[in-house]
Amino acid sequence: AAFASSPNLRFTIALLSKAAAAGGNQCLTCHEGMGDKPSAMFKHDIHYSKGISCAGCHGGNPKAEEMEQAMDSSAGYVGVPKGNDISKACATCHSDPGKMREFGSSLPTNQWELLQSSVHARLSINGKETIAQCITCHGAHGIVAVRNPASPVYPLNIVKTCATCHSDPRLMRDYNPAMPVDQIEKYRTSVHGTRNAQGDPKVAACASCHGSHGIRAAKDVKSSVYAINLPGTCSHCHSDAAYMKEYNIPTDQFEKFSRSVHGNALLRKHDAS
């Protein structure tokens, strides 16, 4: 009886009552009442705008009035995914063309497949999961479309996002001691980096050259920055007359290079020297 009259229990009952009145996503209603950050962020998440509830990733019954029912494992509740289960949870929808069409998405459905073949799919130093998960770059509860300026992978933000790991000497020493950690400083001295810092989202950033989900080591023959592939990577933008129009520079460089002695040696004879 004493517990039943406690302020904490009364507060919980009030939250559950509010959730019951709300209907579909009572998990969110309850967590909003507690004022936690994930619920506030989720209201701006692209998944929320598509009608996906908390249970879409965490499992459980989002319509249940009682917390025990909502978080019952028999209702599929998994709680907070850990390690590789995080990306597998994302792939449940993002690797299913049918599901993605239902949500009106035209996104490719091979991101998980590409990520598994990437350099980030190597085993982390704890030996229990891969180096990077989907949320490492995209975030968790406040995920927005890549074209949204608030996204951590928007062209003006992605350099900082990549640098979170790649500019950390201690972290990078654990994975690749030979890799320099001053790439962002060097990038900022380039014409691309200068324009990016000035707010031009069209110029090349990290993903423009290295790719996003399927990033491979530069020495990998399938890498977009492998010597033989690099001219073609540059030409994606620099041979596109419409894309390059505002920069007032020629767009026939790749064509001319291909006919040169260097282009012939590299692109036809595969002489990477």
Side-chain angles (χ1 to χ4, degrees):
F3 179 71
S5 61
S6 71
N8 287 340
L9 183 59
R10 289 200 301 272
F11 177 65
T12 301
I13 292 172
L15 289 177
L16 289 172
S17 297
K18 182 180 178 182
N25 195 350
Q26 296 184 40
C27 310
L28 180 61
T29 304
C30 188
H31 280 270
E32 273 191 303
M34 293 187 289
D36 65 13
K37 187 177 179 180
S39 62
M41 294 175 65
F42 189 59
K43 294 295 287 288
H44 303 284
D45 192 291
I46 192 168
H47 299 101
Y48 176 82
S49 70
K50 297 289 186 180
I52 298 171
S53 72
C54 305
C57 299
H58 297 283
N61 182 0
K63 296 182 179 180
E65 296 182 11
E66 300 293 336
M67 185 166 57
E68 291 77 9
Q69 295 174 344
M71 301 170 67
D72 190 343
S73 59
S74 65
Y77 181 72
V78 295
V80 180
K82 303 292 184 182
N84 294 341
D85 287 339
I86 296 171
S87 295
K88 288 178 181 177
C90 299
T92 301
C93 290
H94 282 271
S95 293
D96 187 328
K99 284 186 179 180
M100 296 303 287
R101 281 195 300 270
E102 288 178 14
F103 290 111
S105 174
S106 58
L107 289 173
T109 54
N110 64 340
Q111 297 106 321
W112 171 233
E113 179 183 349
L114 289 171
L115 181 61
Q116 288 178 295
S117 67
S118 78
V119 68
H120 293 126
R122 286 174 49 195
L123 200 63
S124 68
I125 55 175
N126 67 18
K128 297 179 180 179
E129 59 189 289
T130 57
I131 297 173
Q133 305 297 336
C134 301
I135 64 171
T136 306
C137 302
H138 292 280
H141 295 94
I143 299 172
V144 293
V146 174
R147 63 181 178 274
N148 187 321
S151 170
V153 292
Y154 183 69
L156 298 182
N157 303 328
I158 195 169
V159 177
K160 182 179 178 181
T161 297
C162 295
T164 302
C165 294
H166 283 272
S167 292
D168 184 335
R170 287 188 295 181
L171 178 66
M172 295 307 296
R173 186 172 59 238
D174 290 330
Y175 293 105
N176 189 349
M179 182 174 286
V181 292
D182 62 347
Q183 296 103 323
I184 187 171
E185 286 81 7
K186 290 177 178 176
Y187 171 74
R188 289 302 183 200
T189 67
S190 72
V191 65
H192 295 127
T194 301
R195 286 183 175 273
N196 179 275
Q198 292 171 346
D200 185 350
K202 290 182 62 177
V203 297
C206 307
S208 308
C209 302
H210 293 278
S212 51
H213 297 93
I215 299 172
R216 293 174 178 266
K219 61 185 178 183
D220 187 320
V221 295
K222 293 184 179 180
S223 170
S224 52
V225 294
Y226 183 67
I228 295 171
N229 303 327
L230 188 57
T233 296
C234 297
S235 75
H236 284 314
C237 292
H238 282 273
S239 293
D240 186 331
Y243 193 83
M244 299 300 296
K245 184 177 180 180
E246 65 185 90
Y247 300 108
N248 195 32
I249 59 176
T251 54
D252 61 350
Q253 300 101 321
F254 179 71
E255 181 184 349
K256 288 180 176 178
F257 173 75
S258 298
R259 297 197 301 265
S260 73
V261 63
H262 295 124
N264 187 59
L266 182 70
L267 301 178
R268 294 173 182 81
K269 297 180 180 178
H270 293 176
D271 181 356
S273 65

